[in-house]
Amino acid sequence: MTLLRIEHLSKSFDGVQAVDDVSFSLKAGELLALIGPNGAGKSTCFNMINGQLKPGAGSIELDGQRITGKRPRDIWRLGVGRTFQIAATFNSMTVLENVQMALLSHERRVFSLFSRIASWREDEAMALLDLVGMAGHAQRSCAVLAYGDVKRVELAVALANRPKLLLMDEPTAGMAPEERNALMALTARLAKERNIGVLFTEHSMDVVFEYADTLIVLARGKLIAQGDADAIRNDSRVREVYLGTGASFSPHAALNDGAAR
Ligand code: ADP
Ligand code: MG
């Protein structure tokens, strides 16, 4: 079933057409990678879907409901979770407290909570941490975690909202290759187990080809190719776009970081 349907989405900034008539859809349980060189319009797409940016034109439907132009909080409530390009956990809290906070806001409770948070939904929060392999770090402060571990906590925080769709804009930026693979393997497993649709960007081609069910390639705001890993590897327009960026399409080639941001 179609979870996310994007039709004729466009956005320009001061005459720059950042996203230009883009249409695609994503099913529950599917991992869809949005790739393309620096400035292709990937983040702009994400930010229109999560409500941070108002589309110039086009429509966005989640589960058959139009969400175009809704506020970020309302879109989040409808089941669109995200992890951030910049880690968004609260450093002053423990790992467990971060997940408890996320559960609280899912329940729409407000802030008389600080005195009580210690016991609130602890079991559920621990279960989420267990799912992402962070239960053993529950009592540590987020400030002292390794970068890859912060990303796992972020994933637990996103899952606390029981998302139907997860948006991950460069979730593995700044990670070592093994960490990238571990995070994406975990994401892929959770997507299948919980039937969550995942839209992600990633500049390591090996990660993209390994984990994405479907790929969409943007170049200068336009969608230039769509298909599975084999189709994209063999697409002449995609090769042309990536030519000179340091990327190659062997399964183990990583795209040059600078070129893809
Ligand atoms: P990507 O994430 O694929 O690298 P972006 O979506 O960030 O690309 O950017 C697409 C284009 O839109 C770029 O030319 C960028 O400079 C421009 N752009 C993005 N955000 C803004 C903004 N807030 N104001 C002006 N121009 C922007
Ligand atoms: Mg970006």
Side-chain angles (χ1 to χ4, degrees), residues 32-72:
L32 194 156
L34 194 56
I35 66 168
N38 186 24
K42 304 180 296 294
S43 292
T44 304
C45 273
F46 273 89
N47 290 333
M48 287 191 280
I49 298 167
N50 70 34
Q52 300 276 100
L53 278 175
K54 275 211 188 319
S59 75
I60 306 167
E61 269 181 20
L62 181 76
D63 242 355
Q65 181 178 1
R66 200 177 149 93
I67 59 167
T68 324
K70 280 192 191 292
R71 289 176 307 174

Side-chain angles (χ1 to χ4, degrees), residues 28-107:
E30 181 182 1
L31 264 78
L32 194 156
L34 194 56
I35 66 168
N38 186 24
K42 304 180 296 294
S43 292
T44 304
C45 273
F46 273 89
N47 290 333
M48 287 191 280
I49 298 167
N50 70 34
Q52 300 276 100
L53 278 175
K54 275 211 188 319
S59 75
I60 306 167
E61 269 181 20
L62 181 76
D63 242 355
Q65 181 178 1
R66 200 177 149 93
I67 59 167
T68 324
K70 280 192 191 292
R71 289 176 307 174
R73 192 151 188 89
D74 295 331
I75 291 175
W76 176 79
R77 291 217 190 284
L78 289 169
V80 178
R82 56 184 159 142
T83 63
F84 299 81
Q85 231 165 330
I86 297 166
T89 48
F90 295 100
N91 276 335
S92 59
M93 292 195 269
T94 66
V95 166
L96 179 63
E97 285 164 350
N98 266 283
V99 179
Q100 287 177 298
M101 275 286 284
L103 287 166
L104 266 166
S105 63
H106 178 57
E107 300 264 314

Side-chain angles (χ1 to χ4, degrees), residues 151-152 155 171-172 175 179-187:
K151 294 290 178 175
R152 285 171 185 273
L155 196 54
T172 70
M175 286 185 168
E179 276 186 328
R180 290 180 180 209
N181 272 299
L183 186 76
M184 287 315 298
L186 172 64
T187 304

